[in-house]
Structures are given as structure tokens and as C-alpha cells.
Amino acid sequence: MQTTVSEGVAATRQKYYDTLAPQSLAPLWEVLKGLVPTEPKSKFAPHVWHFAKTKPLLMAAGDLLTAEEAERRVLVLENPAMPGGSRITATMYAGLQLIMPGEIAPAHRHTASALRMVLEGNGGFTAVAGEKTEMKRGDFIITPSMGWHDHGQENHSPVIWVDGLDLHMVNFYEAAFMDHMNDKSQILTRAEGQSVSEYGSGLGPMTPHSPFGLTTPIFNYAYDRSRPALMQVAGNTQPDAHLGYALRYLNPLTGDWAMPTIAAWLSHLPKGLETKPMRSTDGQTIVVLEGELTLELDGKTFTAGESDVVGVPAWVWKKVRASKDAIYFTFSDRSAQEKLGIYREERQ
Ligand code: GTQ
């Protein structure tokens, strides 16, 4: 409990504290409230990045430097409450990546896991662990921890996607490694689509084998499969009062989230439907793929249309309404929080 003390007492205590510091000690009672808060109070702000504003700036970067020079030509989505933090929410990094025609973002690998939500595919590709996949709008593409990956575009139009990485979680643990490949692009050792054939049809290899450890062996959850699945569910069931229609991306080997640190799901709200208020301890990033959303976040109203990105900090009350029939992708640190046993949510 915080009590006010006289100047004399405060001075005596301060004198005592001064004897602690040289011994690398500190009094807990001065900082306890901040260390063990009664409930989450995010330092981050809800924010919408409108594609109409971000795309021209991203394209300008395309004239400024090559993907190879940049290694990854990305505009980081900086939460306005923490400029320079390279964070969209407390734990998640997000950015907008651009590949121009003929370019290659050279092969590297790192401890951090990455996801891509494709906004403008135009025939671009990413290669993961020796297998190439085409990037099409709405595709959810995964780069597992320490998986080699390069991106490229052989066609004539730019490729743009949203990156989401767990790098702040990895860096928090001071567990991050990365290396570069000698070759710019990986030598392909598997046929395109092989992962989906082996693991993505409710089938699996006879000898249990998880090529990417805790991460799903499928690295492209294509929109031309996920969208019809979601709309089929929407056409035949009632929406959840808090989630609307939503399906999550699964690791078929475990039934868990597709990635060990990052949860991802796809939602549909028919025009006019509004979800009931809900809050949760995960910081969320929403990418609108179709239609338009009006979001109420801790009482403030935001609108987000196609290709806009929304940052929703932890424990913010959220209500979502579709002003047009909407489909949107969400990712968050919920997968990691569940594994640590700390995820919580509240529904009104
Ligand atoms: O595509 O590998 O936005 O390594 C940040 C770091 C993307 C990537 C980012 C990365 C990448």
C-alpha cells in the first residue's frame, strides 16, 4: 500500500537507498506496483495504417534502394505510442514489404518466426526450406524459426505483403541467431505444393515427422482454400457473438496454432453485423482483406478498409462492425501466451 511520508522519513529512506545502489540492490516496495499491476495497461495505442497512405510511401522506397541493398525492403509499422520501438503491439513486429519486378530479397534464416499476409501478389514468390510457393492476395505464408527463406518476383509488377515476426519475443530471451546463405536464392529441393500435398489434405506421411519442429509443416495456407472454407461455415451456421465467423490456422500434426509463438485466424462479418465487446491479453494485428470494418477500441472509433492494418493492444475493449461484408486476417501473440499459461479474455 502506498502511504505518504514526511520529508524527513523520505530523506532517511533515500539515504538508505543510496547505500543499496552500489551493491546492485534496490528496494522492491518502491517499484512493486509497476512490476505486479492489478490488470494489464498497455503502453501501446490502437492505430490504423491506411493502405492509401502507406502504399505510395512504400513504392517510393522502391525507387530509393533495391531489395538486395536493403536485404528486406520494409516499412516498419511503428506503434505511435513508441516511435523507434519497431513494434505494432507490445510483443509483435509488423511491416509492409515490397519486392519490385526482377528483384530478389536474398536468402537468410533466423531464430525469429515470420508470417506474411499477401496484399498484392502479382506472381511473386517466396521459397522456404527448398520449396517455392506463389504469393497471392490473402495467402497466409509462414517462415518457421531457422528456415531458409528468400523472396522474389520474376513478373512485371510489384509484390506487397504484411510481415509479422515474433522477433521481440526471441530478443527478450536473448536467444536470436541469423545467417546468410552464400547463394542469393535457395536451390529448390522440393516440388512447388509438396508440403500441402503431404500435410494439407487431412493426410500425412506414414512415418510421423515434423520438418519444422513446433511449426506447421504447411507454409502456405492459400486464400483460395481458406476463403471458401470460411464462407461455407458462414453460410451454414450462426455467428459467434464475439467473434463473428472465424476459423483459425492449424498445425495439422498437433491441432495447435500453426506457429508456436503467433496465433492467426481468418474472420468474416456480414454487412451490418456487430460483435459484442471483448478484450484479451494478446496484442492483435488485423489486416482487412475484403470490405470495411468499424472498430470500437476502448471507446474510440476507427475505420479500416481493404489492405488497411490495425494494431489492437492487449486488454483493450474491442467491438467490430462490418460496414460492408468483410473478411479479415488477425495475428497475435496468443499462441505463446497460451503455452506460458497466461492468456486471458473477457467477454461482455
Ligand atoms: O522477410 O525475412 O519484415 O528478416 C523483418 C525481418 C522481414 C524477412 C521483416 C526479416 C524479414
Side-chain angles (χ1 to χ4, degrees), residues 61 64-75 93 96-100 103-111 116 125-126 147-152 161 163 165 177-185:
L64 210 61
L65 78 177
T66 64
E68 211 177 318
E69 261 184 286
E71 184 158 347
R72 294 296 183 263
R73 192 203 284 111
V74 177
L75 292 182
Y93 161 98
L96 289 168
Q97 184 158 171
L98 169 69
I99 305 280
M100 293 299 282
E103 285 189 331
I104 292 170
H108 71 195
R109 62 177 182 172
H110 35 68
T111 310
R116 336 276 172 194
F125 69 87
T126 195
W148 289 109
H149 54 287
D150 53 88
H151 320 296
W161 67 83
D163 278 324
L165 280 86
F177 295 87
M178 96 90 81
D179 41 349
H180 293 96
M181 205 174 233
N182 289 330
D183 303 315
K184 271 200 284 181
S185 319

Side-chain angles (χ1 to χ4, degrees), residues 29-338:
W29 56 91
E30 292 288 339
V31 292
L32 183 59
K33 267 187 148 176
L35 289 176
V36 190
T38 47
E39 65 169 30
K41 188 165 179 6
S42 181
K43 292 194 261 313
F44 296 83
H47 190 73
V48 181
W49 286 263
H50 293 285
F51 198 58
K53 293 265 168 61
T54 55
K55 184 181 173 181
L57 293 167
L58 186 61
M59 296 311 294
D63 296 330
L64 210 61
L65 78 177
T66 64
E68 211 177 318
E69 261 184 286
E71 184 158 347
R72 294 296 183 263
R73 192 203 284 111
V74 177
L75 292 182
V76 177
L77 301 176
E78 291 269 60
N79 191 286
M82 197 178 285
S86 302
R87 288 158 202 267
I88 187 158
T89 57
T91 63
M92 294 303 313
Y93 161 98
L96 289 168
Q97 184 158 171
L98 169 69
I99 305 280
M100 293 299 282
E103 285 189 331
I104 292 170
H108 71 195
R109 62 177 182 172
H110 35 68
T111 310
S113 301
L115 67 81
R116 336 276 172 194
M117 174 42 58
V118 183
L119 298 180
E120 296 187 3
N122 297 326
F125 69 87
T126 195
V128 174
E131 184 177 330
K132 202 171 172 178
T133 192
E134 193 185 329
M135 303 180 97
K136 297 188 297 310
R137 182 171 171 84
D139 290 356
F140 167 48
I141 295 172
I142 293 167
T143 308
S145 179
M146 282 329 263
W148 289 109
H149 54 287
D150 53 88
H151 320 296
Q153 168 63 310
E154 286 149 4
N155 287 344
H156 300 292
S157 23
V159 187
I160 299 175
W161 67 83
V162 177
D163 278 324
L165 280 86
D166 64 1
L167 57 86
H168 293 298
M169 294 188 233
V170 176
N171 292 340
F172 172 78
Y173 288 108
E174 301 188 321
F177 295 87
M178 96 90 81
D179 41 349
H180 293 96
M181 205 174 233
N182 289 330
D183 303 315
K184 271 200 284 181
S185 319
Q186 293 171 70
I187 294 163
L188 301 174
T189 54
R190 293 162 58 80
E192 189 166 340
Q194 200 170 328
S195 300
V196 172
S197 303
E198 272 185 313
Y199 296 96
S201 308
L203 298 164
M206 288 296 282
T207 308
H209 170 62
S210 181
F212 302 135
L214 296 176
T215 305
T216 173
I218 299 168
F219 67 94
N220 187 349
Y221 292 75
Y223 198 52
D224 63 18
R225 290 161 66 104
S226 51
R227 188 190 192 281
L230 181 66
M231 297 315 284
Q232 161 84 3
V233 168
N236 295 290
T237 60
Q238 291 304 310
D240 180 275
H242 296 88
L243 303 172
Y245 297 102
L247 291 175
R248 56 179 166 158
Y249 295 94
L250 295 180
N251 177 343
L253 297 176
T254 62
D256 199 352
W257 299 103
M259 304 171 78
T261 48
I262 309 175
W265 60 98
L266 191 67
S267 309
H268 166 58
L269 287 183
K271 183 179 164 146
L273 192 72
E274 182 174 54
T275 62
K276 285 192 177 162
M278 172 174 176
R279 61 180 177 176
S280 51
T281 53
D282 57 336
Q284 301 182 352
T285 300
I286 295 170
V287 183
V288 180
L289 291 169
E290 296 183 32
E292 192 177 73
L293 300 176
T294 305
L295 301 106
E296 216 181 289
L297 304 171
D298 268 352
K300 276 195 228 148
T301 304
F302 300 82
T303 56
E306 288 184 3
S307 301
D308 294 349
V309 181
V310 190
V312 185
W315 214 236
V316 160
W317 280 111
K318 181 176 77 199
K319 256 184 358 184
V320 188
R321 198 176 75 82
S323 24
K324 296 179 191 158
D325 272 344
I327 298 183
Y328 54 103
F329 171 79
T330 308
F331 69 87
S332 86
D333 53 2
R334 175 171 170 177
S335 185
Q337 289 196 23
E338 285 183 353

